[in-house]
Amino acid sequence: MKKETQIGYEYFKNSSELNDIEKELFERAKEARENAYAPYSNFLVGCSVLLENGAIYSGNNQENAAFPSGLCAERTTLFWVAANFPKVKIKKIFIVGGHREFPEKNPPIPPCGACRQSLIEFETKQNENIDLYFSSMSEEVVKVQSIKDLLPFYFDGTFL
Ligand code: THU
């Protein structure tokens, strides 16, 4: 029996189409991207999150000479937020990626598989979806209303 699944997403041709809070998150993610530590890949990623209390926090990718010891922008940011505000829900996450030398050539940069899995844990933990935006310096933005849209057949703690 063949079955299909569909995902819905929103596409913004330019960040000027975003609302005010989304624009703020985009700016904060771009600022954070500038501080990424990515001497090996030269691929800079910034990330911002909006909490339910209105606070915004940001982070970026942190690489290491021993490559697997580095960490993506999304998890750097999420883990810091969880460590400091364990009981506060996350409403939105905004990701901006792009190469150091030619960032405007990159299309919207989606989160890697490991970050999707980490994000699933946050949605499960807080029992609420997180709006996810991914973009690049091209100013195009893609929005999904849940990480689950990017990870069909996800694995979470309910299986254990
Ligand atoms: N990177 C992120 O920060 N987030 C992603 O979701 C994709 C990849 C980083 C990891 C590494 O520092 C660089 O981009 C190149 O893979």
Side-chain angles (χ1 to χ4, degrees):
M1 183 195 307
K2 192 177 172 193
K3 295 189 177 190
E4 287 185 2
T5 185
Q6 280 195 325
I7 66 157
Y9 66 93
E10 236 174 300
Y11 171 75
F12 302 87
K13 177 94 185 114
N14 191 276
S15 64
S16 58
E17 297 168 28
L18 299 172
N19 68 28
D20 285 351
I21 189 69
E22 292 167 338
K23 281 182 184 151
E24 171 78 12
L25 286 166
F26 187 42
E27 287 309 313
R28 293 285 297 271
K30 280 197 286 190
E31 275 171 33
R33 180 181 164 274
E34 294 296 315
N35 293 326
Y37 178 66
Y40 304 105
S41 71
N42 283 312
F43 195 79
L44 312 182
V45 185
C47 171
S48 61
V49 296
L50 173 70
L51 304 188
E52 62 183 343
N53 61 13
I56 296 175
Y57 295 96
S58 61
N60 43 42
N61 51 330
Q62 296 292 322
E63 296 187 349
N64 192 284
F67 289 2
S69 300
L71 196 62
C72 291
E74 296 88 325
R75 279 174 289 160
T76 303
T77 310
L78 287 167
F79 293 165
W80 185 89
V81 166
N84 287 281
F85 311 107
K87 295 197 161 52
V88 187
K89 289 185 179 180
I90 295 172
K91 303 297 282 185
K92 295 176 187 292
I93 179 164
F94 209 118
I95 305 156
V96 182
H99 194 274
R100 191 193 304 278
E101 306 299 336
F102 42 86
E104 67 292 333
K105 289 197 179 148
N106 291 113
I109 304 298
C112 78
C115 287
R116 294 179 199 202
Q117 182 64 33
S118 292
L119 279 156
I120 285 287
E121 188 75 25
F122 279 81
E123 286 197 349
T124 306
K125 181 172 68 163
Q126 67 181 32
N127 196 26
E128 202 174 296
N129 290 349
I130 299 171
D131 289 337
L132 180 138
Y133 303 77
F134 58 93
S135 63
S136 68
M137 302 305 274
S138 73
E139 298 279 328
E140 292 163 276
V141 181
V142 176
K143 175 188 178 186
V144 291
Q145 287 181 313
S146 167
I147 318 310
K148 292 164 189 127
D149 290 335
L150 295 182
L151 198 61
F153 296 106
Y154 59 90
F155 177 80
D156 70 7
T158 61
F159 292 102
L160 299 176

